[in-house]
Amino acid sequence: MNRGRRLFLKLIASLTIAGFGYYVVSRVIPGALMRPYEGSKFIKVNSFNLLDNLSSFSISANGGVVLNERKFVFQLLPGSSGDYALLVDDGNVYLLLPMEYGQVGPNPVIRPNVDLSNITGSSTIGDFTAFGGGVVCYGKPPIPPPWSPCACPCSTYIGLYNRVNGDLGIYGVPGGSCDNGNFTFAVNGVGNDILVFGGGNYPAQSCECGQWCVTHRSGVTSIINNSNGLTFAGFTNINVVDDHGFKLWRYRMPGIRSGSNIIMLAQQANTSNLLVEYVDLSELYSSMSNNPNALCSGEPYVTPHYYGMVGDDFSPDAIPSIWISNGIHVTYHTIDGYVKVSGLNEGVKLVSVPTTPFIKFINDTIYVAYNYNNVFTVTAFNPYNGDKLGEVSVNGIGFIDQNGYAVVFSNLNIGSPIHIFRVTS
């Protein structure tokens, strides 16, 4: 029996229902908070005014992440197409760019239907919040030239926020492109480094940039953060075909570390199948190169191992959530409009949602949030039996992050209030 099969059977045996102390959220009338049920709070921690004009725009399905109670990053949908990755600091708006290019802002003009930059994922690692995505770098003010030799024409970046001292760094990744390097998740490495995972989709490369091609093998970057700043310590890639021959799409697909393994989600190419894959940390480190061009060539790379299938009804419009508790659990948006929590080939539909949801697993609770008709709704569920625990609705548009913060814009007009909430037990 091969190793993947042994792990698969072990996983099946461990998928048991477990009891926990569950979080309950109160029902809220628009614009006001009612008394929460016992053991729960959905509290407003700050409010300030938006100082840029983002009217007629909306929040992308990628959402964002709160850095502190006055600062957050998020992705704006500037009309019917395009995207902007933005930093909001005490109401002032800035474009997200690597630090060496300086800040663009405060409060720049955001042009409609422009595809400029994005935020494709975020993770919490100890005292750090990590996030990232890509920037279309065409070298015209105020946008810098590409900082990777194979950007086509999009270069990727990593943001790292220290929640202890408040330091925020935005770093251009010196290799790879948005075809393989857009941030999906980050984990602690085996030493003092952080491993940052990009997400690429099958096929293994594309040749849309004239005389040269870019790899789609998912880039992995080892970074070390110390008093002297951030160091890029190593680079490798994960193939877009696994050891069972399944062709993988891994753009915006999260993962986690479990012991010596990295557990990752992937969509089987050209299907609605949601798969679990894994790679050994030892494989990743043994394949590391100190040359960032490894992220351009796709060499070296490791082949992921197939772990099992979560479901055959996956919709990639929403970023799924994965966690481990007596087995692997995944919550995702289905092609028929439900949010579903599942192990391998079994699952419970939690709720039907009218728009693309934000899905977060926080403190043994699943939070499903969505925007509809200028109302932002957050619903809490017991992830192990599907019970609904409570719901909050607030006027405006917003998103929820992996740390339990919710950002709600009353609207996107200049001078309108922005409210920061937090779910706590």
Side-chain angles (χ1 to χ4, degrees):
M1 184 183 299
N2 65 35
R3 183 178 185 182
R5 178 66 175 164
R6 290 198 304 271
L7 287 167
F8 177 86
L9 293 177
K10 182 178 179 181
L11 175 64
I12 290 292
S14 66
L15 284 173
T16 58
I17 301 298
F20 291 87
Y22 299 116
Y23 190 96
V24 181
V25 180
S26 64
R27 179 70 185 180
V28 178
I29 61 175
L33 295 178
M34 295 176 64
R35 181 177 61 85
Y37 293 113
E38 182 180 358
S40 73
K41 292 180 181 178
F42 187 82
I43 57 174
K44 185 188 297 185
V45 296
N46 208 354
S47 294
F48 42 86
N49 291 336
L50 177 64
L51 300 178
D52 202 353
N53 183 18
L54 307 179
S55 61
S56 77
F57 300 153
S58 59
I59 295 176
S60 164
N62 284 350
V65 63
V66 173
L67 305 179
N68 62 43
E69 293 176 359
R70 302 199 71 85
K71 181 183 296 186
F72 61 91
V73 295
F74 79 108
Q75 183 173 322
L76 183 78
L77 177 61
S80 60
S81 64
D83 45 48
Y84 277 83
L86 301 176
L87 166 70
V88 178
D89 188 354
D90 205 20
N92 288 295
V93 177
Y94 303 85
L95 300 186
L96 273 180
L97 290 174
M99 296 180 298
E100 57 266 37
Y101 297 102
Q103 288 187 326
V104 178
N107 308 315
V109 174
I110 305 298
R111 305 191 183 280
N113 303 318
V114 170
D115 188 8
L116 178 68
S117 53
N118 61 14
I119 298 174
T120 50
S122 60
S123 297
T124 303
I125 310 108
D127 293 329
F128 293 94
T129 297
F131 59 92
V135 178
V136 177
C137 305
Y138 44 80
K140 296 180 181 179
I143 307 305
W147 47 83
S148 166
C150 61
C152 177
C154 183
S155 295
T156 60
Y157 71 90
I158 296 169
L160 201 62
Y161 177 74
N162 187 322
R163 297 193 308 279
V164 175
N165 61 24
D167 287 344
L168 172 63
I170 311 293
Y171 306 92
V173 181
S177 74
C178 293
D179 281 326
N180 76 325
N182 272 357
F183 189 105
T184 56
F185 67 97
V187 300
N188 280 319
V190 297
N192 61 345
D193 66 328
I194 294 172
L195 294 176
V196 179
F197 292 78
N201 289 349
Y202 181 88
Q205 67 176 12
S206 61
C207 301
E208 301 170 353
C209 298
Q211 59 186 356
W212 51 276
C213 302
V214 293
T215 184
H216 290 193
R217 289 173 177 148
S218 299
V220 183
T221 304
S222 170
I223 60 174
I224 298 173
N225 191 65
N226 52 41
S227 58
N228 296 321
L230 185 139
T231 300
F232 290 94
F235 311 89
T236 189
N237 302 275
I238 298 175
N239 203 10
V240 290
V241 179
D242 70 14
D243 61 348
H244 278 52
F246 293 129
K247 300 168 183 176
L248 308 177
W249 290 345
R250 290 211 54 257
Y251 178 67
R252 299 196 317 157
M253 287 292 186
I256 52 176
R257 177 177 171 177
S258 177
S260 61
N261 291 318
I262 302 296
I263 311 295
M264 308 173 296
L265 295 177
Q267 182 178 2
Q268 185 180 351
N270 300 308
T271 75
S272 298
N273 296 338
L274 182 59
L275 311 180
V276 178
E277 306 276 334
Y278 76 95
V279 294
D280 292 331
L281 281 169
S282 59
E283 292 179 286
L284 286 177
Y285 281 103
S286 64
S287 70
M288 284 278 181
S289 168
N290 60 9
N291 187 343
N293 284 338
L295 301 181
C296 292
S297 67
E299 303 275 352
Y301 68 88
V302 299
T303 297
H305 307 285
Y306 175 70
Y307 210 52
M309 187 169 78
V310 174
D312 61 1
D313 55 355
F314 172 68
S315 173
D317 62 335
I319 298 174
S321 181
I322 180 172
W323 76 99
I324 293 178
S325 177
N326 293 318
I328 291 177
H329 304 269
V330 179
T331 308
Y332 61 96
H333 196 209
T334 66
I335 54 178
D336 58 353
Y338 283 84
V339 174
K340 184 177 181 181
V341 61
S342 184
L344 296 190
N345 295 311
E346 60 179 62
V348 175
K349 289 183 175 179
L350 300 177
V351 63
S352 176
V353 290
T355 59
T356 299
F358 305 101
I359 302 168
K360 305 297 178 183
F361 176 76
I362 307 164
N363 296 331
D364 292 321
T365 300
I366 284 293
Y367 292 90
V368 178
Y370 61 88
N371 295 296
Y372 186 65
N373 286 341
N374 202 43
V375 174
F376 179 66
T377 299
V378 182
T379 309
F381 294 92
N382 175 336
Y384 306 105
N385 62 19
D387 286 352
K388 180 178 177 179
L389 304 177
E391 190 171 272
V392 175
S393 292
V394 182
N395 279 337
I397 59 174
F399 65 86
I400 190 169
D401 73 8
Q402 76 269 11
N403 297 319
Y405 282 100
V407 175
V408 182
F409 294 81
S410 298
N411 58 63
L412 293 174
N413 296 329
I414 188 169
S416 62
I418 303 170
H419 305 296
I420 310 293
F421 297 91
R422 189 171 188 184
V423 292
T424 61
S425 55

